[in-house]
């Protein structure tokens, strides 16, 4: 039977999705499962690593049970994941020694403060990794587990502990606990990979204090095989896992942003703006990270990135935290009932502020409230907060590159909101382009896997698969745009440096 499909696993912050894609980039089937969020203390966010693995297989089981696609028809598997989230597990038992610490979690802020006091360490990290010291990245999460879970350090010394980001964990399990690997993009989010040499950096490893022996083997984002599925695990099939990248890297590939200067924004639980900057890393002076974009055919592509911790999660908070809406569509309906927010701004700094502010101690605020404020104003302000935070990052990218952005490609669950996309175009003053497919991280993972085995010839073929659904053009005057944004900047100023250090 012909191998005519690519299977893509997209393990995200709130759910796991599995998609099956054909050669024309059409999604043939899909399944998804929510994962549980754990909040042991204020600002802490964790996941059950075993549950994550179970949801991957649950989704695959659901797809193959429908018999639209058969396991033997899968040519390769691509994986994309929530990047910095970190797991340590026992080599012998295969069991995690602690929950997966989510990228969102602020529980390692005190460890990061210690790291910042090491003379020259932050500059060294920025020079070698393009990143900065922050609880967001994996290194401090590794140290937290080593320092706080009894017996783990001893088992490290005995060679029995392995570390990985979520992609590593999934490949370890898919391979029947044989392959301990990670791709360059996920590795680049740990603070331990030198993005210039594409190697684990011994100097950083020593200064930060992470045991090198627990780190996975480095692999390209796309190749003939990072690992193979074990037949006794994956429906009797030995299938190459030939694509792997962090979610924002994969989404950029799905959006076909293959040329320098092209940018995309993913509106998920968080948001991540990615701008292709070419084959040489550039240093940001305006609060962005310099990312290793991907490695395909031995060629490295770099990017500027600005991550926003709370994107669509602000709407989830209105639903689950405040209880003022029943679903995301209701938020749109309420927002459209008022002409403006009545001067209300929501700064959703629930877990601090990421790019371009980098303040782990910022906290959320609603400002501008009056007796006339209604839930309609609150809903509108929540949606607008995603547009404002996107502009924060776009302005930084323009300042760093000296080039105005011509348009912004968008994807992710929150792009279902027409109100949001129109406001985004208005507050940026540039067109916002919505493609037909918005599951871009999964599609990008599929592309990486397909390129690795020759399922698609090259990226030029993939460019032809990107199709636009709708373009949102700015309607707002420059004066109104600038006035609203000035109010946003004032509101952000009230939220910074709020929590006790």
């Amino acid at each position: 039977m012909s191998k005519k499909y690519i299977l893509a696993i997209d393990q995200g912050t709130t759910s796991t999705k599995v998609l099956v894609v054909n050669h024309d980039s059409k999604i043939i089937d899909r399944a998804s499962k929510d994962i549980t969020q754990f909040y042991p203390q204020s600002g802490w966010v964790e996941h059950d690593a075993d549950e994550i693995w179970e949801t991957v297989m649950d989704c695959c089981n659901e797809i193959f049970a429908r018999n639209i696609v058969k396991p033997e028809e899968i040519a390769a598997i691509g994986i994309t994941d929530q990047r910095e989230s970190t797991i340590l597990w026992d080599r012998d038992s295969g069991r995690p020694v602690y929950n997966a610490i989510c990228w969102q979690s602020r529980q390692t802020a005190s460890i990061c403060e210690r790291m910042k006091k090491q003379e020259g360490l932050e500059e060294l990290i920025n020079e070698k990794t393009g990143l900065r010291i922050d609880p967001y990245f994996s290194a401090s999460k590794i140290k937290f587990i080593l320092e706080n879970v009894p017996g783990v350090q001893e088992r490290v010394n005995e060679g029995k502990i392995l570390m990985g980001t979520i992609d590593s964990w999934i490949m370890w399990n898919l391979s029947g606990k044989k392959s301990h690997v990670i791709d360059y993009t996920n590795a680049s989010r740990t603070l331990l990979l030198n993005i210039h040499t594409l190697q684990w950096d011994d100097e950083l490893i020593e200064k930060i204090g992470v045991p090198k022996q627990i780190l996975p083997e480095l692999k390209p984002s796309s190749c003939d095989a990072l690992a193979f599925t074990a037949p006794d695990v994956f429906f009797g099939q030995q299938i190459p896992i030939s694509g792997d990248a962090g979610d924002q890297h994969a989404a950029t590939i799905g959006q076909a942003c293959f040329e320098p200067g092209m940018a995309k924004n993913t509106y998920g639980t968080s948001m991540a703006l990615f701008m292709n900057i070419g084959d040489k890393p550039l240093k940001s002076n305006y609060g962005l990270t310099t990312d290793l974009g991907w490695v395909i055919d031995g060629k490295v592509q770099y990017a500027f990135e600005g991550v926003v911790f709370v994107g669509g999660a602000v709407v989830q908070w209105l639903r689950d935290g405040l209880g003022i809406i029943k679903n995301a569509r209701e938020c749109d309906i309420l927002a459209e009932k008022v002409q403006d927010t009545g001067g209300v701004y929501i700064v959703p700094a629930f877990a601090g502020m990421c790019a371009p502010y980098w303040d782990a101690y910022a906290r959320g605020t609603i400002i501008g409230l009056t007796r006339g404020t209604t839930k309609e104003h609150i809903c509108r302000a929540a949606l607008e907060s995603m547009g404002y935070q996107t502009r924060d990052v776009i302005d930084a990218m323009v300042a760093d590159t000296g080039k105005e952005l011509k348009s912004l490609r968008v994807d992710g669950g929150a792009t279902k909101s027409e109100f949001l996309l129109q406001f985004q175009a208005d507050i940026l003053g540039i067109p916002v382009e919505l493609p037909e497919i918005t599951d871009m991280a999964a599609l990008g993972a599929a592309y990486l896997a397909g390129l690795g085995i020759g399922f698609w010839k090259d990226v030029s073929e993939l460019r032809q698969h990107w199709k636009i659904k709708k373009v949102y053009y700015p309607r707002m005057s420059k004066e109104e745009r600038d006035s609203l944004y000035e109010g946003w900047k004032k509101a952000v100023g009230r939220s910074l440096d709020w929590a006790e250090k």
Side-chain angles (χ1 to χ4, degrees):
M1 187 173 292
S2 63
K3 304 279 190 178
K4 53 187 177 181
Y5 303 117
I6 302 292
L7 184 138
I9 298 167
D10 180 0
Q11 204 301 297
T13 310
T14 57
S15 67
T16 299
K17 291 187 290 187
V18 174
L19 275 62
V20 178
V21 179
N22 71 8
H23 192 269
D24 295 325
S25 299
K26 302 293 185 184
I27 297 173
I28 302 303
D29 204 354
R30 70 173 75 214
S32 67
K33 298 286 182 183
D34 289 344
I35 63 170
T36 309
Q37 315 293 303
F38 297 96
Y39 307 101
Q41 296 184 33
S42 176
W44 293 29
V45 188
E46 297 177 354
H47 296 144
D48 180 341
D50 284 329
E51 181 192 21
I52 287 173
W53 166 238
E54 288 165 7
T55 61
V56 170
M57 292 308 295
D58 285 347
C59 288
C60 292
N61 275 306
E62 181 180 328
I63 286 172
F64 294 134
R66 286 194 282 265
N67 210 33
I68 297 170
V69 175
K70 297 178 175 61
E72 56 267 30
E73 294 178 307
I74 302 299
I77 294 173
I79 296 173
T80 185
D81 65 325
Q82 49 174 302
R83 298 195 298 182
E84 302 82 6
S85 299
T86 302
I87 306 169
L88 268 65
W89 67 91
D90 186 279
R91 180 192 293 272
D92 295 333
S93 69
R95 296 300 308 278
V97 302
Y98 186 75
N99 278 343
I101 302 180
C102 181
W103 58 269
Q104 291 177 314
S105 188
R106 302 280 93 187
Q107 70 204 71
T108 64
S110 61
I111 293 174
C112 289
E113 291 301 319
R114 286 191 345 234
M115 290 169 63
K116 288 177 181 178
K117 291 177 181 176
Q118 290 180 243
E119 186 176 355
L121 181 57
E122 184 143 38
E123 293 78 7
L124 189 69
I125 284 173
N126 185 251
E127 176 191 334
K128 292 190 172 190
T129 72
L131 310 177
R132 57 180 64 211
I133 296 172
D134 190 85
Y136 180 31
F137 303 109
S138 304
S140 63
K141 304 179 195 299
I142 299 170
K143 288 178 67 66
F144 178 90
I145 295 172
L146 294 176
E147 293 175 5
N148 291 280
V149 181
V152 172
Q153 185 62 62
E154 288 78 3
R155 282 188 278 170
V156 168
N157 297 338
E158 295 168 359
K160 294 184 177 179
I161 297 296
L162 302 178
M163 169 269 168
T165 45
I166 303 298
D167 61 318
S168 301
W169 173 243
I170 293 172
M171 285 188 283
W172 164 261
N173 283 286
L174 280 174
S175 67
K177 300 179 171 56
K178 292 178 181 176
S179 297
H180 181 218
V181 296
I182 189 172
D183 97 292
Y184 289 124
T185 70
N186 280 286
S188 74
R189 309 299 288 180
T190 62
L191 299 186
L192 304 171
L193 183 89
N194 188 316
I195 64 171
H196 307 275
T197 65
L198 303 189
Q199 298 292 326
W200 295 121
D201 191 279
D202 290 334
E203 185 179 14
L204 290 178
I205 286 168
E206 181 181 355
K207 287 183 179 295
I208 293 172
V210 171
K212 188 175 183 180
Q213 66 267 31
I214 72 173
L215 300 178
E217 180 185 355
L218 295 164
K219 295 283 187 177
S221 316
S222 178
C223 60
D224 54 356
L226 292 87
F228 287 91
T229 61
D232 60 339
V233 174
F234 199 78
F235 309 95
Q237 305 299 309
Q238 186 179 59
I239 298 172
I241 303 167
S242 53
D244 178 24
D247 50 7
Q248 305 312 327
H249 313 253
T252 309
I253 291 166
Q255 287 278 27
C257 292
F258 296 121
E259 301 301 322
M262 296 182 71
K264 69 87 195 172
N265 191 20
T266 297
Y267 299 79
T269 304
S270 61
M271 297 190 296
L273 280 92
F274 231 73
M275 175 186 276
N276 187 325
I277 60 173
D279 58 4
K280 292 181 174 58
L282 304 175
K283 181 178 174 60
S284 171
N285 296 309
Y286 294 92
L288 305 173
T289 59
T290 302
D291 284 21
L292 192 159
W294 51 80
V295 180
I296 299 174
D297 289 335
K299 298 175 183 177
V300 186
Q301 204 79 359
Y302 294 93
F304 276 146
E305 181 180 9
V307 167
V308 172
F309 284 147
V310 178
V314 70
V315 177
Q316 294 171 340
W317 173 68
L318 295 182
R319 182 193 66 195
D320 303 332
L322 296 188
I324 64 174
I325 58 170
K326 294 184 178 66
N327 53 56
R329 176 61 188 141
E330 186 180 1
C331 187
D332 260 32
I333 293 169
L334 292 173
E336 290 169 351
K337 287 185 176 181
V338 289
Q339 292 297 312
D340 53 43
T341 67
V344 173
Y345 289 88
I346 294 179
V347 183
F350 304 142
M353 294 285 276
C354 197
Y357 302 102
W358 296 99
D359 185 348
Y361 300 97
R363 288 297 178 265
T365 186
I366 305 178
I367 201 162
L369 295 170
T370 68
R371 282 293 299 271
T373 300
T374 65
K375 65 180 180 181
E376 285 83 2
H377 294 111
I378 298 296
C379 287
R380 186 175 180 117
L383 291 171
E384 287 187 1
S385 74
M386 287 188 262
Y388 288 126
Q389 290 179 99
T390 299
R391 176 163 170 178
D392 285 340
V393 176
I394 293 289
D395 282 2
M397 287 179 170
V398 170
D400 267 324
T401 61
K403 297 178 181 178
E404 295 291 334
L405 201 64
K406 295 179 180 179
S407 64
L408 179 67
R409 294 186 173 185
V410 298
D411 57 78
T415 58
K416 293 175 183 176
S417 169
E418 292 209 62
F419 172 86
L420 168 62
L421 296 187
Q422 183 57 56
F423 181 77
Q424 188 67 86
D426 287 339
I427 206 66
L428 291 177
I430 59 174
V432 169
E433 300 173 335
L434 178 69
E436 288 184 356
I437 297 174
T438 58
D439 287 311
M440 283 300 176
L443 186 61
Y447 283 168
L448 288 168
L451 289 170
I453 63 162
F455 190 82
W456 291 291
K457 182 182 177 182
D458 52 30
V459 297
S460 62
E461 181 179 357
L462 299 179
R463 283 192 191 96
Q464 309 306 314
H465 292 191
W466 189 87
K467 292 182 172 57
I468 202 159
K469 180 180 181 181
K470 185 173 181 179
V471 180
Y472 293 82
Y473 294 97
R475 301 171 183 168
M476 189 179 287
S477 69
K478 184 179 186 302
E479 291 74 22
E480 184 180 2
R481 179 184 309 131
D482 292 346
S483 176
L484 287 172
Y485 187 60
E486 183 180 350
W488 164 258
K489 297 292 280 188
K490 285 174 63 180
V492 169
R494 303 297 197 273
S495 76
L496 298 177
D497 197 29
W498 182 261
E500 293 295 325
K501 291 183 174 63

